[in-house]
Amino acid sequence: MTKIALVTTGGTIDKDYFDALSDYKVVESIIPELLARIGSGVEVEQHEICRKDSLELTDVDRAALKACIESLECDKVLVTHGTDTMVDSAQALGDMPGKTIVFTGAMRPARFLDSDGLFNVGVALGALQSKESGIFIAMTGQVFTPDVVKKNRAAQRFESTSE
Amino acid sequence: MTKIALVTTGGTIDKDYFDALSDYKVVESIIPELLARIGSGVEVEQHEICRKDSLELTDVDRAALKACIESLECDKVLVTHGTDTMVDSAQALGDMPGKTIVFTGAMRPARFLDSDGLFNVGVALGALQSKESGIFIAMTGQVFTPDVVKKNRAAQRFESTSE
Amino acid sequence: MTKIALVTTGGTIDKDYFDALSDYKVVESIIPELLARIGSGVEVEQHEICRKDSLELTDVDRAALKACIESLECDKVLVTHGTDTMVDSAQALGDMPGKTIVFTGAMRPARFLDSDGLFNVGVALGALQSKESGIFIAMTGQVFTPDVVKKNRAAQRFESTSE
Amino acid sequence: MTKIALVTTGGTIDKDYFDALSDYKVVESIIPELLARIGSGVEVEQHEICRKDSLELTDVDRAALKACIESLECDKVLVTHGTDTMVDSAQALGDMPGKTIVFTGAMRPARFLDSDGLFNVGVALGALQSKESGIFIAMTGQVFTPDVVKKNRAAQRFESTSE
């Protein structure tokens, strides 16, 4: 089995629908279960920071995310996060020498039939295993550094700001 | 949209079941369709070499694979391949200066509910976007070089031979 | 192909998630597409009355539903509907002599990986093909008449009121 | 919860793919697990007769199927079966007074992404709950009696022989 450290903060990737509320809510991550279902050979050590829409993340949450990553023995860390402020959180981490950290998330909840969630986790994992060190964002099938990427909300994709 | 070059050779990832035959057969790749279904933002330029179980691949097929990759303008190429001889085909490519080539496949057909196929394509794509150049194998959530990896058929995973 | 008349009114079965809104909305039914994807052999003639949470359905909507069913040449009609007032709408139809009408819906949107939506449509279709005439509700794997069924919101199921 | 009796005999609906064999095999039914995954509210009491392609079923298997159904306290029984000899097995049951028995199966294994398996089980269950008594075949979104139905192998559907 391949072991990875997964730090979860919430976001669309972890939203579920509740009939009794007629509403969506951010819940526990289904990513570890999906990785097991597909026989991926990937075992997850999960650390949950919070379950929030990324627009609701506070400086306290971001400090907790940074402290969690620093505390991990593992040098390679995958972070799932809401898409709206993913770039902000990645930038807020500052320098993390010796660590490789890749953020990902989803445009559609991972509990959907046609979700991009598990695929994006795959892209992030491929980047995590390939990059020497640094902080990256894996979305829309690409691997960005946080300083040159933005979410294009209308087009529903992440794109480079340097082109 | 993120454009990628996908060269397909067959393998379990592309197997389908046919009731009229009571049998599985390697068919056209469903990966481009699945990438569209999930709104991945990834657009595929596909090149089909063959539709074979990898145990049936010949030297002629491998020469065609090499010629196809050399002919592509794109320097980054994703190859889907059966798992039994994936390492052999990756080694047979020899030197491909200036190119980044990542092989992947699946233990269960991509048409299955709980397949590792699309996830593995994600891992391969993350590696493809992250590696400078070279030939790699993305399986079991890891990114290997072809000289130090083998398929462990009993355990249904790829693992390093150097540990 | 087996042709069926499907009248849609909205409800959880037809909810989708929109990242750009961070919210769900009732959208067009995905049931005809899913029936085609699985090669069900069932072809749908769809009539859309509205796209509403069933708590928002008005008397005008219910009159439109009744008028639509009466206008159909087909004597067998499947209706998808939100679960909260499904029983009310079925009762409001009153007498529909010569027609067999089966209502169904879902506790989780049909666009989810583990939705009950398409399965419930199957149960409803089996009832539709089997019942001589009358108005029925197919939920929780059972076939009820509208006078002796209620939604148990806490338990997330439909159950008989006559036991 | 809605309890149903499910008698399984194998067939395409229960086929799985094995990489280590490069082949499929009939395995344990995934239908009870899928019914739980989707929160169907249906609980299954399963009785396994055999795990065979229906072309391999013998008179001994069919006698065991009949004996099993007769031994069940429950008067309503769902049978999953390969499609090639489903009609033969249904006819071979002969008279089963007081029982309602519905056969179903699938053109694509229930473990596939786009399988008709779970949907067909839904149709069968709707018929089971609606029919007074008798033996039926629920395939292609229709409910047939065994004397007037045949599998059209080329068209991949079941159809009436009486039209």
Side-chain angles (χ1 to χ4, degrees), chain A residues 12 15-17 19-20 22-24 34 37 83-84 107-109 111-114 151 153 156, chain C residues 12 15-17 19-24 34 37 53 83 107-109 111-114 151 153 156:
Chain A
T12 291
K15 280 183 182 159
D16 199 357
Y17 179 79
D19 175 77
S22 289
D23 206 1
Y24 279 89
L34 293 181
R37 271 195 197 182
T83 54
D84 283 318
M107 293 299 181
R108 287 167 70 79
R111 285 164 172 84
F112 268 63
L113 190 57
D114 296 328
K151 177 180 174 183
R153 202 175 171 94
Q156 289 291 294
Chain C
T12 291
K15 280 179 183 162
D16 199 356
Y17 179 80
D19 176 76
L21 306 171
S22 290
D23 205 3
Y24 70 88
L34 293 181
R37 272 195 196 182
D53 246 312
T83 54
M107 293 300 180
R108 289 167 70 77
R111 285 164 171 83
F112 268 63
L113 190 56
D114 296 329
K151 177 179 175 183
R153 202 175 171 94
Q156 289 291 293

Side-chain angles (χ1 to χ4, degrees), chain B residues 12 15 22-23 30 60 86 89 107 110 152 154 160:
Chain B
T12 292
K15 280 183 184 161
S22 289
D23 206 1
I30 199 177
V60 173
M86 186 188 288
S89 292
M107 293 299 181
N152 180 332
S160 173

